[in-house]
Amino acid sequence: MQTHLLLREYPRALALRPTVLEEAPSGVLVFKEYQGAESNRAIAELHSPSEFEDSKWRILNSRPVFGCLGLMTVQSECFVAIVTDCVSVGRIRAGEEVYKIQSVSFYSLSSSRYDDFIDPTPNNWDDDWDQPTNNNSSTLHPCAQLQKLFSVGNFYFTPDFDLTRTVQARTSVASLGVHSFDEHFLWNQFLISGLLDFRAKLDRKKQMDLDRGGFLVFAIRGYVGVEEVDIDHERYELSVISKLSCKRAGTRFNSRGIDDNGHVANFVETETVLYSDRICYSYSQIRGSVPLFWEQQGMQLVQHKIQISRGPGASQPAVKRHFDELIERYHSVSNINLLSQRETSTAGEAMLSNAYNAAVERLHSPLVHMVNFDLHAECRGGNYDNVSILLNHIRLTMDDYGYFLMDSTDEIIRTQQGIFRTNCMDCLDRTNLVQNEISRKALLSFLKQQKHDNLDYLMMRHSHLWAENGDGLSKIYAGTGALKSAFTRTGKVTFMNVLSDATRSVNRFYINNFQDKARQEVIDQLLGKLANQTMISIHDPISDHVTRQLTKRIKEYSHNRRITIFAGSYNLNGKSFKGELLDPWLLQHFRWNEEEPDIYVIGFQEIVELSPQQVMATDADKRKIWEQQIEKTLNTRSGTKSKYTLLRSNQLVGAALIVFVKTDIVDEIRNVESSIKKTGIMGIAGNKGAVAIRMDYGDTSFCFVAAHLASGHSNVDDRNSDFHIINEGLRFLRGKTIDSHDNIIWVSDLNYRISLPNEEVRMYAEEGNIEALFRNDQLIREMRQGRVFNGYNEGDITFLPTYKYDNGTNIYDTSEKQRIPGWTDRILFKGKQLNQSQYSRAELFTSDHRPVLAIFETDILTLDHETKTKLQKELYQSLSSIDVRSTPPPELPKRKNTVPVNSFSSSKLSDSYVDTLVDITFDGEYPSPSTDSKKWWEDGQEIPKADKSRASNHNPFEDDGFVFTGGSSSSITKFPSSLQSDSEWTPLSPVSYHGTSSFDKLQTESNPSSSNSNSNSNNNNNNVSSYIGFWNNRQ
C-alpha cells in the first residue's frame, strides 16, 4: 500500500513507485501534463521497473504516501490528489483492514508552485470555509478547501476489499472483479473515473500490476469503528460501518428530500459486523431523508418551516424510482418514520409525514411497509426506554428479515432478506437512537441463539460504537455531534446531557446558516457537480478517434421529439382571483391549432400587493389559488386529451413562476430546480427581482424566468442593471446560471416603456399604428445597442401596449398620473432549436395590465446511454488494433539487464530482479528473524552491504528451466524460472540514507570521475534508492 511520490523536474512529471515490501512491486505509475488544447486531459503511463530510469527523479514527499485518489482540474490546472497520511482503524474480518484518511495533498502536473506546501493537520484548520489559509506560504493553494475536507477524519479506504459494499453484497458480487464498486458510496468517483478508464484499457497482466501496486485509492465517507471483545473466552471484532451516499450529498439545509433520480439526502447504509475465526455476522440498516421534494429556505431560527415544493403527481415518479432501487438492493423495505404526527407540531413535520405516508400508499407495493412512531411524543421527557414499544411492534418483521451469517469457510449460512429504512427530520439524532436499539436487539437475538451469556461488556462497546457513529454522521451533515447521544452511549440522560444538547443546537444554528453554503460548494467540487466541471480523462488517441466517431453517429443512439411550450406573463397589480375565466389567455391558441402544449410556463408579477410589509417576505396563499385555477382551466377543457400536473412553482414576493406539464411526460423530466434573485433596495427587498425554474427534459435543458424589473418611465439604466444582476447573479445548484441552458424563456414584466410623449403614444395606439410605437420602444433600442438580452429574440409585436389600463376597462390610464402606455409585459427567448409560432395578448380585466402569451416549438434530444456505451466499445475494439497515434509516446531510458540474487529470507522464494548489477550476497550468519517488538537492524548488528566486486554480466537463465542466483558457486540457489517476471523489481538491501551510502563509496572508489556528479544527490539526501532503503529500514 505504501508508495513513494517521485518528481521529475523537466519535463515535469510525477510518479508513484512502491516502497520496499516483502513482495516485489509491480511497476511505476507516471502522471504527466497533457500538452494539447483540452484542459481536462492528463497522461498516465504504467512502466515496468526495467523501463523506469530513476536517475532523473527525486522523492517529492519526505514520507511514503498511500496512493492516488485521482485527478482534478482547478483554476485550469490539473492536480493529482495523493493520500499523504492515514491511520489504521482496525480489522473488519481477516485480511480486511480499514484506514482513516488524515491528510491529502494536491500536486500540480504543470507547476512546482505548490510542491512545498505543508499538509495542515486537522487541528490547524480554522472553521472558515470561505477563506482557506496556509501557514507555509502567502499563496493560497487552489485545492486548500478540498484538503481541509479530506482532513476532518470522515473519509476511509482499504487496499484489501471493496469497502463500498456490505459483507453480504461483497459475497454476492465477488465474481465481478476488484473494481465493481457501488457508485453510491464511492466519494472520489469523479476524481478517479479517468484512471479507471485507463485501467480498463490495459491488458490483463498490466491491470494486475496496477492493482498490486496499490496506486489507486477508493474512498468512502461516513464512519468506521472497530472494537475487540471477548465472548466466552473467544476473541471477536465488533464493527460499525456507515457509508454516506454521494448521490445527493450536502449539508443540512442545502440538501433535503429527494431528487428526480430517486436519490435522497443524507442516505446512509450502516452495517454492524461481528467476526471471529468461526463466524461472521452482519446486520444492515439504512437511513435517508423523507423521499419527497421539500425544503427549508431562508434564515433557520427556532422553527424551520417546511415547504413541499412539488405536488403528489410530480413527486411520485421519483418516489417510485427510490423504492424500486431499494427493493432491488434489499428485497423488502420497512420504513420507520419518526416524524411528529401532531398537526400542531412546529415546522410542519405532520404535514411532511402525512405526505410521505400518502406517497408510500400510492406505490401499492407489498414489499414496502410503513411504520409511524412519533418519538418525541412517545418518549416525552427523555423517557427513551419507550423505544421498546417500537421494537415490539416491528419484532415479527425483524424475524422475517433475519441477518447475514457466514462460517469460517466462507460458506453462507443465511442472508438478510429485508431492511429497515429509518428517518426523522434530519436523519441524525432520533434516527441514530432508534437504529442503535434495532441493531442491539438483532445482535442480542443472534448471540442468544448461539448460547452466549455475559454480554454486558459487548453491549457496552456496541453502544459506544453507535454513539460515535451518530456523532460522526452528524458532524458531516449538521456540523456538530449528535443530540441524544448520551442515551445511546450510556442508556440514561442527565441534566448535563440536556445542556450539552442545547449547546450543540446553538452551534448548529450558526454553522447551518453561516458556513454550510461554503461547505456545500466544496462538497460539490469534490463530486464534480459544479457548473462547467468536467472529469479528467487520460489521453488516448484511440479514444479521441472514438469520440469523433460517436459525435458523427449520434443519430444511432439518440432520437428527437418535437414538443410545444405555452409561455405566458401577467402582472396582477396585487389583485386576487375574482372568478374571471382564464380561457382567453391559456386556451387562446386552440383557435388555430389543436396541438396541446407539452409544457405550460406561467409567470405572474405583483401577485400580492407590494406593501412595505410584503416586500420582505413571501405569502404563497394567493399563488396557490392561481395554481388551482390554472389546473382547473387546463384539465377541464372540452375535448382535452391530456391531463396536466403541477411540476414546480416558486415565488419571490410579487413575482411567481408556475410550470405545468403533461402528466405522461413527468417521468422524462429530471433535475428540476428553482432559484430567486432580489434586486429591490440594494438586493435586500423582493419587490423587484426574479424567480427561475430549470429542468432537463430528456437530454435538453430549459430555464424559465419570471422577472419584475425597475419601474419608472425614464429608469432605463436601472432596468438594464436589474437584468444583469439577475442574469449573472441568479444561481442554481452546482453553480449553474441562466445562460447554462439550451433553451431560455423570460415571461416577465420588464417595465420598458415607449419613449414618446403621452399624447402621441395614445394617438398611435388609437390608430393602431404599432410600427410607430415599436420604433420608439426602449427594450428594442437597448437590445439593438447590445446593452441587455444579448443573443435573445422576441416575436413580432402585433398587439397594442399592455399597460396601463383603468381596472376593468379597455381605456388607458385616466388617473391623475396619466401613465404613458407601453409594452411592459414581454416574452423573450434564446435557443438554437426554439421557434416561436404565436405572440399575442389576451383580454382579461382583473388587472391594469393585459396578459401576453407565446407558443414555442422545439426538439428534445434523448440519448440512449446503453446503446451509446455499446457502440463506444465496438468502435474502440475495432480501432485498438490500428495505430492512430499522431506521434508515438516518448521512450524512457531503459535499464541495464539485471541479475538475480539471494533473498535474505531462506524461507521465501524471491521472484524478482534486483535494481542493480551489484551482487549483494551475504557470506556471514543470517540475523534472526525480526518481530514487531524486535528488529535486527536496530539492535546494533552490522547491516549487510553491497559488494561491487561481485558484479556479474552473465545470463542467469539455464537450460534446465531453473534460475541460478549468486556470484559464486558456493552460494548458488536454484529458483524455478517460471516465477521470474520482467515487470517486477526488488530494491537494494536496506541502507541508511544519512551521509554517503556504501554503494556510493564503492562507486566513487571504482570511478573517481563520478564523484562530482553524484555529490549533489548525496549531500541533499534526495536519492531515490537511499530514501527507499531508509523507509524499508524504518518499517
Side-chain angles (χ1 to χ4, degrees):
M1 184 181 71
Q2 292 187 2
T3 59
H4 279 303
L5 178 64
L6 310 181
L7 168 68
R8 185 181 66 195
E9 298 285 359
Y10 185 83
R12 183 175 173 84
L14 299 172
L16 289 174
R17 184 178 194 175
T19 57
V20 178
L21 303 174
E22 287 187 0
E23 299 208 1
S26 52
V28 182
L29 182 61
V30 177
F31 301 99
K32 295 188 290 187
E33 180 187 18
Y34 176 66
Q35 298 296 330
E38 298 90 344
S39 61
N40 62 332
R41 297 284 187 92
I43 296 175
E45 299 168 347
L46 183 65
H47 296 284
S48 65
S50 60
E51 296 174 331
F52 185 75
E53 178 57 62
D54 63 10
S55 62
K56 297 180 180 180
W57 298 75
R58 67 177 179 88
I59 291 181
L60 182 56
N61 196 298
S62 59
R63 296 173 58 85
V65 297
F66 302 92
C68 172
L69 286 163
L71 302 106
M72 173 181 282
T73 298
V74 182
Q75 297 180 7
S76 301
E77 198 166 348
C78 183
F79 290 87
V80 182
I82 302 294
V83 179
T84 51
D85 195 16
C86 65
V87 61
S88 174
V89 176
R91 186 183 74 160
I92 308 301
R93 297 191 299 165
E96 295 185 351
E97 190 164 5
V98 179
Y99 298 85
K100 179 194 295 184
I101 294 176
Q102 292 191 306
S103 69
V104 172
S105 293
F106 287 79
Y107 294 95
S108 171
L109 290 182
S110 59
S111 170
S112 62
R113 188 185 317 168
Y114 311 108
D115 288 353
D116 298 324
F117 267 61
I118 298 174
D119 298 334
T121 63
N123 295 330
N124 290 338
W125 286 112
D126 56 35
D127 293 328
D128 189 354
W129 284 87
D130 287 308
Q131 298 294 332
T133 58
N134 187 285
N135 297 327
N136 189 52
S137 173
S138 59
T139 303
L140 297 180
H141 196 298
C143 305
Q145 297 295 52
L146 289 168
Q147 289 178 295
K148 180 178 179 179
L149 184 67
F150 277 115
S151 71
V152 294
N154 46 46
F155 286 90
Y156 301 83
F157 75 100
T158 175
D160 301 324
F161 65 101
D162 181 4
L163 189 55
T164 66
R165 300 184 186 272
T166 62
V167 174
Q168 178 170 323
R170 292 201 298 275
T171 58
S172 61
V173 298
S175 62
L176 298 181
V178 67
H179 291 104
S180 58
F181 295 98
D182 188 335
E183 62 180 15
H184 284 75
F185 306 112
L186 184 59
W187 269 71
N188 62 319
Q189 182 179 5
F190 176 73
L191 278 71
I192 207 166
S193 291
L195 290 174
L196 289 179
D197 290 342
F198 165 73
R199 177 190 178 277
K201 295 170 184 175
L202 298 175
D203 59 43
R204 181 59 182 159
K205 179 180 180 300
K206 287 191 174 181
Q207 286 182 356
M208 296 176 63
D209 290 345
L210 184 68
D211 296 340
R212 282 200 303 268
F215 300 124
L216 305 185
V217 173
F218 306 94
I220 67 164
R221 193 180 192 197
Y223 170 79
V224 179
V226 182
E227 294 274 353
E228 290 188 358
V229 294
D230 286 328
I231 304 177
D232 296 338
H233 308 293
E234 185 177 3
R235 175 65 56 150
Y236 285 83
E237 270 117 2
L238 176 66
S239 309
V240 172
I241 306 157
S242 283
K243 304 182 292 291
L244 176 64
S245 172
C246 60
K247 290 298 183 180
R248 187 167 169 77
T251 54
R252 189 182 180 197
F253 292 120
N254 292 292
S255 181
R256 290 293 208 193
I258 198 170
D259 65 17
D260 287 292
N261 296 309
H263 306 310
V264 296
N266 202 21
F267 182 84
V268 181
E269 182 183 69
T270 304
E271 180 183 22
T272 304
V273 179
L274 185 68
Y275 172 78
S276 73
D277 292 337
R278 295 186 304 107
I279 59 97
C280 179
Y281 158 93
S282 168
Y283 188 78
S284 298
Q285 302 178 71
I286 56 175
R287 67 177 72 182
S289 188
V290 174
L292 296 172
F293 293 94
W294 62 280
E295 56 195 24
Q296 291 171 289
Q297 294 183 348
M299 182 71 74
Q300 308 300 327
L301 300 175
V302 178
Q303 296 184 3
H304 315 302
K305 188 176 180 180
I306 294 171
Q307 301 172 15
I308 297 180
S309 58
R310 290 204 215 173
S315 300
Q316 203 61 27
V319 176
K320 186 177 185 301
R321 289 188 192 103
H322 177 68
F323 283 104
D324 284 349
E325 183 174 11
L326 294 186
I327 291 170
E328 183 180 355
R329 284 171 172 267
Y330 307 111
H331 309 299
S332 182
V333 183
S334 183
N335 300 295
I336 299 179
N337 176 31
L338 305 178
L339 292 174
S340 174
Q341 306 298 310
R342 297 176 298 165
E343 294 296 337
T344 57
S345 65
T346 62
E349 280 197 22
M351 173 189 68
L352 184 62
S353 179
N354 293 336
Y356 183 18
N357 278 270
V360 172
E361 186 176 346
R362 284 191 296 271
L363 292 173
H364 304 296
S365 173
L367 299 177
V368 181
H369 311 283
M370 200 76 190
V371 178
N372 294 294
F373 184 78
D374 186 344
L375 189 135
H376 281 163
E378 298 289 347
C379 303
R380 186 180 292 109
N383 190 17
Y384 297 119
D385 290 332
N386 285 347
V387 174
S388 60
I389 299 173
L390 171 64
L391 297 180
N392 288 333
H393 183 74
I394 64 174
R395 176 173 53 83
L396 294 179
T397 306
M398 290 187 67
D399 293 341
D400 290 341
Y401 287 173
Y403 49 82
F404 175 81
L405 187 64
M406 187 166 60
D407 64 17
S408 59
T409 64
D410 289 348
E411 181 179 348
I412 298 175
I413 300 173
R414 64 178 301 176
T415 59
Q416 186 173 338
Q417 293 299 313
I419 202 158
F420 287 103
R421 183 197 190 279
T422 308
N423 74 272
C424 52
M425 180 74 79
D426 300 317
C427 303
L428 296 176
D429 314 319
R430 289 174 277 181
T431 296
N432 198 72
L433 186 151
V434 168
Q435 284 195 327
N436 168 58
E437 294 300 317
I438 293 175
S439 174
R440 175 189 177 92
K441 182 176 177 64
L443 183 58
L444 277 173
S445 176
F446 162 71
L447 290 173
K448 287 180 179 179
Q449 291 176 13
Q450 303 295 314
K451 310 299 183 184
H452 287 298
D453 296 316
N454 302 320
L455 301 175
D456 291 345
Y457 180 73
L458 171 67
M459 289 298 103
M460 181 179 71
R461 303 321 299 165
H462 174 274
S463 296
H464 171 75
L465 286 173
W466 270 93
E468 293 293 308
N469 176 69
D471 285 342
L473 296 177
S474 181
K475 288 175 183 177
I476 294 172
Y477 192 56
T480 72
L483 311 184
K484 305 177 180 63
S485 61
F487 179 80
T488 304
R489 198 180 301 272
T490 64
K492 59 184 179 180
V493 179
T494 66
F495 178 70
M496 293 304 296
N497 299 144
V498 176
L499 289 181
S500 175
D501 285 352
T503 301
R504 286 181 172 179
S505 296
V506 173
N507 289 338
R508 280 186 183 181
F509 164 78
Y510 175 80
I511 292 171
N512 298 156
N513 285 287
F514 299 105
Q515 292 186 352
D516 276 359
K517 184 178 180 180
R519 283 206 302 153
Q520 182 72 52
E521 290 180 358
V522 179
I523 293 170
D524 290 341
Q525 182 183 23
L526 170 63
L527 299 177
K529 295 182 178 179
L530 295 180
N532 301 320
Q533 216 177 349
T534 55
M535 180 191 75
I536 294 288
S537 60
I538 303 303
H539 175 61
D540 178 1
I542 296 180
S543 292
D544 292 344
H545 191 76
V546 168
T547 301
R548 290 192 294 269
Q549 290 296 315
L550 284 174
T551 303
K552 293 179 180 179
R553 298 171 63 175
I554 187 172
K555 292 183 178 180
E556 297 181 30
Y557 55 89
S558 68
H559 66 271
N560 290 323
R561 176 192 166 192
R562 176 141 292 208
I563 67 164
T564 304
I565 302 172
F566 174 99
S569 179
Y570 193 7
N571 186 315
L572 294 169
N573 193 28
K575 299 298 187 293
S576 301
F577 179 74
K578 297 179 180 179
E580 185 178 25
L581 292 177
L582 302 180
D583 297 28
W585 180 33
L586 301 181
L587 307 180
Q588 181 190 126
H589 57 283
F590 285 112
R591 299 176 191 172
W592 303 280
N593 190 346
E594 285 298 318
E595 183 73 23
E596 293 180 330
D598 297 87
I599 302 171
Y600 271 86
V601 181
I602 311 296
F604 288 111
Q605 301 80 38
E606 297 187 50
I607 198 170
V608 297
E609 187 178 354
L610 298 181
S611 63
Q613 294 79 15
Q614 292 276 14
V615 297
M616 301 303 293
T618 296
D619 180 6
D621 291 339
K622 289 189 176 181
R623 186 190 83 229
K624 292 180 180 178
I625 293 174
W626 285 100
E627 289 173 0
Q628 293 169 3
Q629 294 306 315
I630 294 171
E631 183 175 15
K632 179 180 178 181
T633 302
L634 299 181
N635 288 332
T636 60
R637 180 181 71 88
S638 176
T640 184
K641 300 177 182 177
S642 303
K643 291 295 182 182
Y644 288 88
T645 296
L646 175 62
L647 180 70
R648 184 72 162 89
S649 65
N650 200 4
Q651 183 177 346
L652 170 64
V653 185
L657 184 58
I658 302 168
V659 178
F660 279 84
V661 300
K662 287 181 177 178
T663 302
D664 57 4
I665 69 169
V666 171
D667 195 46
E668 302 175 53
I669 297 175
R670 305 289 178 94
N671 304 320
V672 181
E673 302 172 26
S674 183
S675 182
I676 60 175
K677 184 63 179 179
K678 300 176 182 179
T679 60
I681 313 177
M682 301 177 65
I684 299 174
N687 60 314
K688 294 294 186 289
V691 55
I693 293 175
R694 62 91 52 212
M695 67 183 195
D696 294 328
Y697 187 174
D699 290 280
T700 303
S701 60
F702 291 86
C703 181
F704 308 116
V705 185
H708 195 188
L709 305 189
S711 60
H713 190 278
S714 60
N715 294 332
V716 177
D717 290 340
D718 290 343
R719 288 188 274 276
N720 293 350
S721 176
D722 283 353
F723 163 75
H724 289 292
I725 291 172
I726 294 168
N727 193 56
E728 298 167 10
L730 191 145
R731 289 285 191 275
F732 298 99
L733 295 178
R734 325 308 181 201
K736 291 188 288 289
T737 65
I738 293 174
D739 286 331
S740 302
H741 299 82
D742 300 321
N743 301 289
I744 308 165
I745 300 176
W746 288 62
V747 285
S748 306
D749 181 351
L750 301 178
N751 252 323
Y752 288 95
R753 312 300 173 87
I754 297 173
S755 296
L756 286 174
N758 197 352
E759 296 78 6
E760 195 172 346
V761 172
R762 290 170 183 260
M763 180 189 69
Y764 286 139
E766 187 175 351
E767 295 174 352
N769 191 346
I770 294 175
E771 178 64 27
L773 297 174
F774 186 76
R775 286 196 302 266
N776 294 279
D777 180 75
Q778 293 175 352
L779 177 58
I780 297 300
R781 182 190 66 206
E782 296 301 304
M783 289 178 65
R784 285 174 177 171
Q785 294 178 357
R787 296 194 180 103
V788 290
F789 289 101
N790 289 325
Y792 281 84
N793 297 297
E794 183 180 22
D796 293 336
I797 295 180
T798 59
F799 49 87
L800 292 175
T802 57
Y803 168 87
K804 170 182 187 334
Y805 289 90
D806 291 340
N807 284 331
T809 73
N810 275 324
I811 301 172
Y812 286 113
D813 187 17
T814 60
S815 69
E816 182 180 352
K817 293 185 178 180
Q818 291 275 313
R819 291 183 178 85
I820 302 174
W823 287 295
T824 58
D825 309 282
R826 311 291 274 264
I827 298 177
L828 276 67
F829 63 96
K830 181 165 66 173
K832 294 180 179 179
Q833 302 296 325
L834 207 55
N835 299 309
Q836 189 179 61
S837 60
Q838 182 182 344
Y839 191 24
S840 58
R841 77 178 216 173
E843 300 307 315
L844 298 184
F845 298 92
T846 298
S847 168
D848 58 359
H849 289 248
R850 295 292 181 267
V852 294
L853 67 137
I855 301 297
F856 296 95
E857 291 184 345
T858 188
D859 288 332
I860 297 298
L861 176 69
T862 302
L863 301 179
D864 184 337
H865 294 283
E866 291 185 4
T867 303
K868 179 183 177 181
T869 301
K870 182 179 179 181
L871 177 60
Q872 186 176 20
K873 290 181 178 179
E874 291 175 356
L875 289 172
Y876 196 90
Q877 290 173 357
S878 66
L879 293 170
S880 59
S881 60
I882 304 172
D883 185 9
V884 297
R885 290 181 170 84
S886 56
T887 56
E891 291 279 343
L892 290 179
K894 293 191 175 181
R895 291 210 163 144
K896 298 178 182 179
N897 293 329
T898 56
V899 294
V901 297
N902 291 58
S903 171
F904 277 10
S905 172
S906 58
S907 63
K908 183 174 179 62
L909 292 178
S910 171
D911 56 355
S912 313
Y913 289 128
V914 180
D915 192 30
T916 180
L917 288 174
V918 180
D919 181 20
I920 54 172
T921 304
F922 184 56
D923 290 334
E925 294 293 330
Y926 290 111
S928 58
S930 61
T931 65
D932 290 339
S933 59
K934 182 180 179 182
K935 300 178 176 59
W936 57 264
W937 58 85
E938 294 181 349
D939 59 6
Q941 295 189 39
E942 182 181 0
I943 298 177
K945 299 294 193 300
D947 184 359
K948 189 173 181 179
S949 63
R950 297 182 176 182
S952 174
N953 293 321
H954 72 279
N955 186 347
F957 295 90
E958 299 293 341
D959 295 334
D960 61 358
F962 284 84
V963 175
F964 291 82
T965 65
S968 61
S969 58
S970 62
S971 59
I972 287 178
T973 305
K974 288 189 175 182
F975 291 165
S977 60
S978 60
L979 294 179
Q980 294 293 335
S981 171
D982 61 0
S983 64
E984 296 173 334
W985 166 85
T986 296
L988 287 170
S989 172
V991 294
S992 172
Y993 86 111
H994 297 290
T996 305
S997 68
S998 299
F999 177 66
D1000 293 328
K1001 289 181 179 179
L1002 288 171
Q1003 279 189 314
T1004 303
E1005 291 172 2
S1006 62
N1007 187 8
S1009 63
S1010 66
S1011 175
N1012 293 334
S1013 62
N1014 294 333
S1015 61
N1016 291 334
S1017 59
N1018 292 338
N1019 293 337
N1020 294 331
N1021 295 323
N1022 213 13
N1023 178 270
V1024 173
S1025 297
S1026 60
Y1027 264 119
I1028 292 175
F1030 168 71
W1031 277 106
N1032 185 47
N1033 211 2
R1034 301 286 292 177
Q1035 293 170 0

